[in-house]
Amino acid sequence: MNVLTPGKPSLDSLQTDALVVGLTGSGDDLTVVSATPLPEPTVEFLKRAARSLRASSKVATVTRIAGPAGIEAATVVLVGLGDEEPTTTTLRRAAGAATRALAGHQSAVIALPHGGASDLAAIAQGALSGTYTFTAHKTKRDKDEDQPVDLDLSVISEVEDAPGIVARAEVLSRAVNWARDLVNTPPNVLYPQSFADEVERVVEGSSASIALRVLDDSELIEGGFGGIVGVGQGSARPPRIVAMEYAPEGAKSKIALVGKGITFDTGGVCIKPAGSMTTMKSDMGGAAAVAATVLAAAELELPVAVTSYLCLAENMPGSNAQRPGDVVTMRKGTTVEVINTDAEGRMVLADGMTLAVEDGAETIIDVATLTGAAMVALGPKIYAVMANDEALSEQILAAAKASDEPAWPMPLPEELRDGLKSEVADLTHMGERWGGALTAGLFLKEFATTTDGEPIPWAHLDIAGPAFNEAGPAGDLPKGGTGVAVASLVALLEAKGAEQ
Ligand code: BES
Ligand code: MN
Ligand code: ZN
């Protein structure tokens, strides 16, 4: 994405396929707004056209018209910015909706009005997000569905260090789009070993200095990773844990990100009904998010040490699948009675967290499409944050807010802990029905400790709702995999880097 300085050249003389400007107000007050002025007659024409086409200024509504006489751009894209002073969220959504509407175009200039650095970052990220497509498995492409590919994008801005802000947006968007690709990839193509291979391919092709470690099924069995081994044993495609370590010299805080990577969740022998299974290729969205986050952190050369642990398994009901009633010994040594094989995510995460503790993590954040209950509580767009450390929770919520990724805190109530008591083992992995997202969090909390039982600052992000967008594309968000949590986590790592 290029950065153009306002007025150089003037908007009317820009040689581009599409010029993106904003629309505010309504009725006779419908107003065209841009980063730098258009000639008055052009503005008058655009307003008249907008009125006659009944164009709406509702946020992220797009109206396209042929470029009028007097300007070089072939098409003008009017995108709604609403009636109020546009926020970063508004700008992000509008920029994304505008670029998504640019099928068949080769180039576009975004000329949306904006204030400071965060506005520009939102516009750049939104615009790049809107161009996302997943066409790897299409042999023919439907013209109407066509979305822009390789769109040559420019943005007009006079914000200080605009090129730096746009460069960060590009790194971040590439990472987010990788996470989306991973989520969207069909589950017959993406399974634990092929996920590990894909991580290796991307790391090798990147400027990032990331050390990879892959634990295969025999290493997991020998290492006593009973949680992930139990979940993976019903599948012909065995589990893996992939560790991606970025450790720049001199970095102080050592952060571990642990991702749930169930490449498909049938529920196991406690099998899900067909209707609940259709989106379960997305059950590795946490692993995708933490993989993409460490990639972005390394490419941005952030001054923090971060290792992502991808806990990869396929939850299938094969003849060797685990059963309700099985007792497994976790990597930590804790024995766990399996009650419902569909509560598999916490089992793989707990082993990943223990590995992180053994590697000396000072802060642990797990990211997981963990419970339907989190979705019942917060809907499909908001992720839940639970933590054993108030400051960490607040830092994550602040990073999420700054990234326009809605998140909300949820408690870890002590009284639900009793539900994890087992007659036959140290713990069960689930309790009573009510508060299912919270008991899942309470189970994970048991594994956020040192070997002496001292708590380690830990937070749990339940992204079951926003990881996969089942509704249509909206604003900058595509249908399908969203890459949620990557932007929040990168912002968090930047904040952690600035602390030192
Ligand atoms: N992967 C699911 C959670 C999920 C549900 C994610 C819907 C996204 C959309 C998870 O493994 C699961 O099955 N959880 C169970 C837990 C229950 C058996 C305690 C659930 O939420 O029903
Ligand atoms: Mn499940
Ligand atoms: Zn699951």
Side-chain angles (χ1 to χ4, degrees):
M1 180 182 277
N2 313 301
V3 178
L4 304 175
T5 311
K8 295 180 196 159
S10 61
L11 275 197
D12 49 311
S13 58
L14 278 172
Q15 304 278 343
T16 181
D17 278 1
L19 178 66
V20 178
V21 296
L23 202 59
T24 63
S26 59
D28 287 343
D29 292 331
L30 213 52
T31 310
V32 175
V33 290
S34 49
T36 169
L38 277 162
E40 200 45 43
T42 309
V43 173
E44 282 313 311
F45 175 86
L46 290 174
K47 282 208 273 201
R48 228 173 59 221
R51 256 180 251 133
S52 96
L53 290 167
R54 303 229 179 282
S56 165
S57 69
K58 193 166 162 257
V59 176
T61 306
V62 172
T63 307
R64 279 175 299 186
I65 56 181
I71 74 168
E72 296 286 335
T75 304
V76 175
V77 177
L78 301 167
V79 61
L81 294 179
D83 276 337
E84 280 146 42
E85 190 60 29
T87 60
T88 58
T89 319
T90 301
L91 292 169
R92 183 187 304 273
R93 296 185 55 216
T99 55
R100 188 175 311 101
L102 290 175
H105 295 268
Q106 256 82 61
S107 62
V109 176
I110 318 272
L112 294 174
H114 58 278
S118 53
D119 279 357
L120 174 62
I123 290 173
Q125 284 163 28
L128 292 166
S129 176
T131 64
Y132 176 77
T133 53
F134 184 69
T135 55
H137 303 279
K138 294 242 188 214
T139 59
K140 290 197 284 291
R141 295 188 61 194
D142 182 340
K143 195 105 185 49
D144 294 334
E145 277 178 10
D146 243 2
Q147 286 181 294
V149 190
D150 294 331
L151 188 68
D152 182 10
L153 272 175
S154 303
V155 62
I156 299 183
S157 183
E158 56 185 351
V159 168
E160 206 189 320
D161 191 31
I165 292 163
V166 167
R168 176 191 181 273
E170 281 180 325
V171 171
L172 182 57
S173 300
R174 250 199 328 273
V176 170
N177 288 345
W178 181 42
R180 292 172 176 176
D181 279 348
L182 286 164
V183 170
N184 289 330
T185 300
N188 60 331
V189 177
L190 193 84
Y191 47 90
Q193 180 60 50
S194 68
F195 196 144
D197 292 343
E198 167 66 4
V199 168
E200 192 177 335
R201 183 189 72 79
V202 168
V203 166
E204 275 173 8
S206 145
S207 65
S209 106
I210 292 174
L212 284 184
R213 205 170 3 137
V214 180
L215 299 185
D216 67 17
D217 46 319
S218 50
E219 289 166 302
L220 292 171
I221 292 167
E222 274 162 35
F225 292 82
I228 190 167
V229 167
V231 170
Q233 74 191 29
S235 169
R237 299 189 288 197
R240 300 283 182 265
I241 291 181
V242 177
M244 304 170 68
E245 180 181 12
Y246 166 62
E249 240 172 83
K252 289 206 187 71
S253 57
K254 204 165 151 49
I255 299 160
L257 304 176
V258 182
K260 172 177 173 182
I262 301 299
T263 59
F264 195 78
D265 184 11
T266 64
V269 297
C270 305
I271 200 160
K272 288 180 185 292
S276 306
M277 222 187 276
T278 50
T279 59
M280 281 302 126
K281 70 173 181 182
S282 67
D283 211 20
M284 34 53 70
V290 301
T293 299
V294 71
L295 181 74
E299 288 186 351
L300 293 169
E301 298 182 353
L302 300 185
V304 285
V306 43
T307 304
S308 286
Y309 298 86
L310 284 50
C311 307
L312 308 173
E314 189 180 43
N315 190 21
M316 295 285 277
S319 62
N320 193 42
Q322 70 179 358
R323 298 142 288 247
D326 281 5
V327 172
V328 298
T329 304
M330 308 292 282
R331 169 72 176 186
K332 195 182 180 195
T334 312
T335 55
V336 176
E337 180 190 4
V338 174
I339 305 287
N340 184 324
T341 61
D342 198 10
E344 82 296 341
R346 60 201 78 181
M347 301 299 282
V348 305
L349 287 167
D351 277 347
M353 287 170 64
T354 301
L355 187 57
V357 172
E358 290 168 10
D359 285 350
E362 292 161 2
T363 303
I364 300 176
I365 301 169
D366 78 80
V367 186
T369 49
L370 203 60
T371 63
M375 245 178 126
V376 171
L378 297 176
K381 304 252 171 187
I382 304 173
Y383 69 78
V385 180
M386 285 155 255
N388 66 1
D389 184 290
E390 189 76 21
L392 178 62
S393 169
E394 274 165 22
Q395 219 173 9
I396 291 170
L397 291 164
K401 199 168 176 60
S403 309
D404 287 333
E405 290 190 324
W408 202 254
M410 301 244 277
L412 293 167
E414 210 32 61
E415 65 272 19
L416 291 183
R417 171 64 179 75
D418 281 351
L420 298 177
K421 286 187 178 153
S422 166
E423 297 288 317
V424 294
D426 298 339
L427 282 177
T428 70
H429 66 150
M430 55 183 284
E432 60 175 282
R433 176 166 165 238
W434 307 115
L438 318 180
T439 356
L442 283 166
F443 177 81
L444 292 174
K445 185 180 169 197
E446 298 288 319
F447 297 85
T449 69
T450 62
T451 34
D452 316 328
E454 278 302 305
I456 297 174
W458 155 82
H460 160 53
L461 276 47
D462 193 333
I463 60 167
F468 199 76
N469 175 13
E470 282 191 75
D476 61 306
L477 279 191
K479 197 173 156 93
T482 60
V484 74
V486 177
S488 304
L489 291 170
V490 171
L492 176 79
L493 295 175
E494 284 173 330
K496 289 267 184 205
E499 266 173 15
Q500 300 173 16

